[in-house]
Amino acid sequence: MKLGFFTMPMHPIDKDWRVSLAEDREAFQLADELGFTEGYVGEHTTDRAENITSCIAFIAWIAAATKRIKLGTGTINMPNIHPAALAANMAMLDHMLEGRLIFGISPGGLLSDAEAFGNLDANRNEMFLEAINQVLQIWRGEAPYNIKGKYWNITTERHFIPEIGQGFIARPLQQPHPPIVVTAVAPFSKGVTEAAARGWDPISANFLMPAWVKSHWPKYVEGCERGGRAADPANWRVAKSVFVARDAARAKAYATDPDGPYVNYYRSLFTKLKKNGRIELFKTRRDQPDDEVTLESICDRLIIHGTPDSVADQLLAFQQEVGTFGTLLYAGKDWKDRELGRDSMILMTEKVMPLVNAGTGMQSNAAE
């Protein structure tokens, strides 16, 4: 199992923006130094807590400060940006990263963003598909372009001057395009199937109950079969909220502190998803009454914390519950305590993952 990083991020709404941005940058630099294979950052325009407004801008900022880690948009909210601008910006970013870019895409889930961009009442899934289709059409096509859609039209025919390079939209370094991933946030996600059929791979969100994470694998297999490719668990990424400390008492205190970064993260998500009618994501079964879903029950089920030995055991149990996957994405949280936040990532790399991979090997041998 490989180790990656994923941050939405989520910070206290009164925290100095400069401090939180610098903190997020430092977390990615640390992940790179520790050998995390990939790292993703989210974006929202209208959220003080999830306050990275452009994952493209953020990745551009940290591109030269990282050396090995692949960096992914996690995710581009496709209905909120013109496909021509996105195609050009992602192409430039891929060149800046020397081909270390992963293209994470979604229809976008924050309704205040949709409202701000005027697509709250639109079919955002339809917009999402048109946008990604147009981006890919630009990258495989030739100028001048004449791409017509329901939501966007893209042409450079009237002002195409090939001898000076006018009218061209850049292509990425990776051909035919950077790897594409989608974040799956729904139980039995149809989006996973459609993505897999097109050659894309899934990330299962860290705020899903294990039963819903487990439901993504058969949908992925279904899509791979339709697309004529093998369903490889190595291509399945699963995000998880993990906190590791050198003693169990400190780990529990930090991870369960009502005013700490882990509980605050799930408090914010619980508030949003409950208001948006998506409380099912936090249920352990579909017929569970809404009033049984509490912040305490969510945190108890979704936050893994403890010493390296304990966390490794919990991750192995989680893997047995949901199935084998290729990359564990450590879900970044606010560094209320910078040293504890950094040490958790260090312990995750140096202590937990060797135990997890040794345990995974033993489980495989036992199964044989």
Side-chain angles (χ1 to χ4, degrees):
M1 183 190 297
K2 296 178 181 178
L3 179 64
F5 185 72
F6 191 114
T7 187
M8 293 173 62
M10 195 82 75
H11 295 289
I13 61 175
D14 57 352
K15 189 168 187 172
D16 188 312
W17 199 4
R18 295 166 296 178
V19 172
S20 67
L21 288 171
E23 178 184 298
D24 290 329
R25 189 177 197 267
E26 184 181 352
F28 275 90
Q29 289 177 280
L30 178 61
D32 184 45
E33 293 166 7
L34 292 171
F36 283 58
T37 58
E38 54 192 39
Y40 300 84
V41 60
E43 66 175 18
H44 285 303
T45 301
T46 62
D47 197 310
R48 283 183 173 175
E50 296 183 60
N51 58 9
I52 289 179
T53 60
S54 167
C55 48
I56 292 176
F58 184 83
I59 291 172
W61 185 38
I62 66 173
T66 58
K67 303 302 179 186
R68 298 174 297 168
I69 191 170
K70 295 180 180 179
L71 296 174
T73 54
T75 56
I76 294 286
N77 299 317
M78 301 293 284
N80 302 341
I81 185 170
H82 195 287
L86 181 56
N89 290 336
M90 291 297 290
M92 184 175 75
L93 193 58
D94 194 34
H95 282 264
M96 292 171 70
L97 286 167
E98 297 283 352
R100 288 190 286 130
L101 180 64
I102 300 175
F103 191 9
I105 58 176
S106 77
L110 189 67
L111 296 187
S112 56
D113 276 5
E115 184 177 1
F117 285 103
N119 57 56
L120 180 62
D121 299 317
N123 184 334
R124 289 191 299 283
N125 286 328
E126 187 178 65
M127 295 181 75
F128 162 77
L129 288 173
E130 180 174 306
I132 186 58
N133 286 340
Q134 290 186 343
V135 168
L136 296 177
Q137 190 173 349
I138 288 169
W139 284 344
R140 66 173 175 263
E142 298 292 340
Y145 313 95
N146 188 2
I147 302 171
K148 297 188 183 300
K150 179 177 178 180
Y151 299 99
W152 297 280
N153 294 316
I154 302 167
T155 178
T156 58
E157 289 179 330
R158 293 174 60 188
H159 295 281
F160 182 55
I161 312 176
E163 60 269 25
I164 62 169
Q166 181 172 307
F168 291 87
I169 299 176
R171 289 176 174 168
L173 181 62
Q174 299 176 84
Q175 288 295 314
H177 55 73
I180 296 176
V181 298
V182 297
T183 301
V185 299
F188 304 97
S189 171
K190 294 179 181 178
V192 168
T193 302
E194 297 303 318
R198 298 189 62 163
W200 310 339
D201 294 318
I203 296 174
S204 296
N206 62 296
F207 48 83
L208 286 173
M209 288 295 170
W212 310 141
V213 173
K214 182 179 181 179
S215 76
H216 291 164
W217 177 250
K219 305 303 290 185
Y220 180 64
V221 171
E222 180 185 335
C224 287
E225 289 175 348
R226 192 199 306 167
R229 65 181 181 127
D232 188 348
N235 296 328
W236 184 20
R237 299 159 172 89
V238 176
K240 198 67 181 166
S241 294
V242 180
F243 177 68
V244 196
R246 298 177 187 273
D247 66 82
R250 174 168 286 185
K252 181 177 181 180
Y254 193 70
T256 63
D257 179 358
D259 295 317
Y262 285 78
V263 175
N264 276 332
Y265 174 90
Y266 283 104
R267 181 182 291 113
S268 180
L269 278 178
F270 183 36
T271 301
K272 291 174 182 175
L273 293 173
K274 186 176 181 179
K275 185 174 180 60
N276 295 345
R278 304 192 69 186
I279 197 174
E280 179 188 33
L281 303 185
F282 294 130
K283 293 184 176 182
T284 55
R285 63 182 194 281
R286 281 188 150 171
D287 63 351
Q288 184 178 12
D290 288 0
D291 59 9
E292 286 187 9
V293 181
T294 64
L295 178 60
E296 183 179 3
S297 70
I298 292 167
C299 292
D300 183 62
R301 197 75 172 92
L302 294 183
I303 301 172
I304 287 179
H305 62 80
T307 62
D309 286 351
S310 172
V311 168
D313 287 342
Q314 292 174 72
L315 286 171
L316 286 167
F318 173 71
Q319 183 179 236
Q320 278 201 314
E321 185 175 2
V322 304
T324 301
F325 53 91
T327 301
L328 173 70
L329 296 179
Y330 178 102
K333 302 291 187 292
D334 179 77
W335 282 357
K336 182 176 182 179
D337 186 311
R338 177 179 176 274
E339 292 309 312
L340 288 181
R342 288 178 55 88
D343 202 38
S344 178
M345 292 177 66
I346 294 169
L347 291 170
M348 188 72 193
T349 308
E350 297 179 352
K351 303 294 185 181
V352 175
M353 292 308 294
L355 292 171
V356 168
N357 283 318
T360 299
M362 292 176 62
Q363 288 177 350
S364 298
N365 292 335
E368 294 172 0

